[in-house]
Amino acid sequence: MPTATAIAHPNIALCKYWGKRDRALNLPSVGSLSLTLAPFSTTTTVEWGAARDEMVINGREASAEEARKVFAVLDLVDSWRPKVRVLTGNDFPTAAGLASSSSGFAALVLAACAAAGHPRTPEQLSVLARRGSGSAARSIFGGWAEWKVGERADGMDSHAFEIANEAHWDVRMVVAIFDAGPKAISSRDGMAVTQETSPYYPAWVASAPRDLAAGRAAVRNRDLDALGQVMERSALRMHACMMAADPPVFYWKSGSVWAQDAVRSLRERGIPCAWTMDAGPNVKVLVPTEHAELVARRLGAVADRVHVLEPGGPARLVG
Ligand code: PMV
């Protein structure tokens, strides 16, 4: 049986994606910008031709919902595909606001296209990965990636591209875990209720392009002060928008607020650093490598666990 194995790293958005202009195609309402992070990774093996469609995640049979999403993406790789076996594993907590879906769908589409004998460009892989999970569009690329809103109704121009590779800037992302359990509400459902009910949603969509342009320039100039302001503003606006939904979409825990405070006080002491948060209570802090250990120690005083991650490379085939 043709088989291929791919590895991809998760990414964390610095300018956030929240809301869709097309739900079926997973097209975003706003462009976003991210950093791909190593050493956390997903490794996925696809066997193109099996007795039945089967998917195993971290050694257990996937739930019907998980399998449905994955096999729907494989149908896009080849609508006449054979039955397929997928074996996937993360070396970090799944569904904890650490974007396991980003590395998961990036590794899946890369392995599946190779196993199927349908090689695709990184942009085409990014479009396919997007259909599984929006943020996965960015994990096809290493380093600093931007995902374009695109203009086409079929979404073929809504893919990510690399702004700068993983060697561009000597920084670390310190991830403070306040809850490694599954999310209270999925990003898909959270986005839908925000879009339908938050009075702030139009303002969020209107304000995002300016932040994205400023974020892109700050990355290119390696300007952590400028990027930090954009990161925190984007995260705060995204969370304010979802908190104003009905019912509210609320991911913060007391530890999250404590960590934001700790980052501000480190900055007052002259340590350049900035935080961001996603669909979970964990706080991620961008910092020059030379100060990463200090930030990790400070956050470790309250967080359950702390990881120090570095810019990672693109999704790649390993077998
Ligand atoms: O694409 P999803 O369903 O993993 O949603 C990602 C949502 C955020 O992580 C909160 C923001 C982002 O741009 O990654």
Side-chain angles (χ1 to χ4, degrees), residues 14-18 29-32 149 199-216 229-241:
L14 312 174
C15 294
K16 302 298 186 186
Y17 148 58
W18 196 257
S29 301
V30 299
S32 54
V149 176
Y200 303 158
Y201 185 71
W204 155 250
V205 173
S207 71
R210 233 176 123 189
D211 284 344
L212 182 61
R216 191 190 304 125
Q229 283 176 32
V230 172
M231 275 170 67
E232 295 188 2
R233 191 163 62 227
S234 175
L236 282 166
R237 286 181 177 174
M238 176 185 77
H239 282 279
C241 180

Side-chain angles (χ1 to χ4, degrees), residues 13 15-18 32 101 133-135 138 187-188 191 238 278-279:
C15 294
K16 302 298 186 186
Y17 148 58
W18 196 257
S32 54
S101 64
S133 164
S135 55
R138 301 182 306 237
S187 45
R188 191 175 297 245
M191 285 185 208
M238 176 185 77
D278 295 288

Side-chain angles (χ1 to χ4, degrees), residues 183-269:
K183 306 176 183 167
I185 172 168
S186 71
S187 45
R188 191 175 297 245
D189 294 346
M191 285 185 208
V193 68
T194 304
Q195 207 160 337
E196 281 156 19
T197 67
S198 174
Y200 303 158
Y201 185 71
W204 155 250
V205 173
S207 71
R210 233 176 123 189
D211 284 344
L212 182 61
R216 191 190 304 125
V219 166
R220 288 198 172 123
N221 298 331
R222 299 188 190 87
D223 183 341
L224 196 88
D225 288 343
L227 183 58
Q229 283 176 32
V230 172
M231 275 170 67
E232 295 188 2
R233 191 163 62 227
S234 175
L236 282 166
R237 286 181 177 174
M238 176 185 77
H239 282 279
C241 180
M242 62 174 96
M243 286 174 191
D246 184 15
V249 181
F250 199 97
Y251 292 111
W252 294 19
K253 295 250 159 98
S254 54
S256 320
V257 178
W258 178 89
Q260 294 171 17
D261 245 5
V263 168
R264 269 188 296 271
S265 70
L266 282 164
R267 236 177 1 237
E268 276 157 20
R269 284 169 46 196

Side-chain angles (χ1 to χ4, degrees), residues 119-171:
R120 293 208 171 53
T121 64
E123 289 74 20
Q124 290 168 331
L125 288 168
S126 177
V127 164
L128 271 175
R130 186 201 78 220
R131 296 290 295 273
S133 164
S135 55
R138 301 182 306 237
S139 270
I140 294 293
F141 297 91
W144 310 81
E146 179 176 332
W147 170 22
K148 298 189 293 176
V149 176
E151 286 169 5
R152 287 172 55 158
D154 67 2
M156 294 311 286
D157 58 351
S158 183
H159 55 74
F161 62 96
E162 184 189 281
I163 298 177
N165 72 18
E166 63 274 23
H168 170 69
W169 196 356
D170 193 10
V171 292

Side-chain angles (χ1 to χ4, degrees), residues 5-20:
T5 300
I7 289 188
H9 299 294
N11 70 76
I12 295 295
L14 312 174
C15 294
K16 302 298 186 186
Y17 148 58
W18 196 257
K20 301 180 202 267

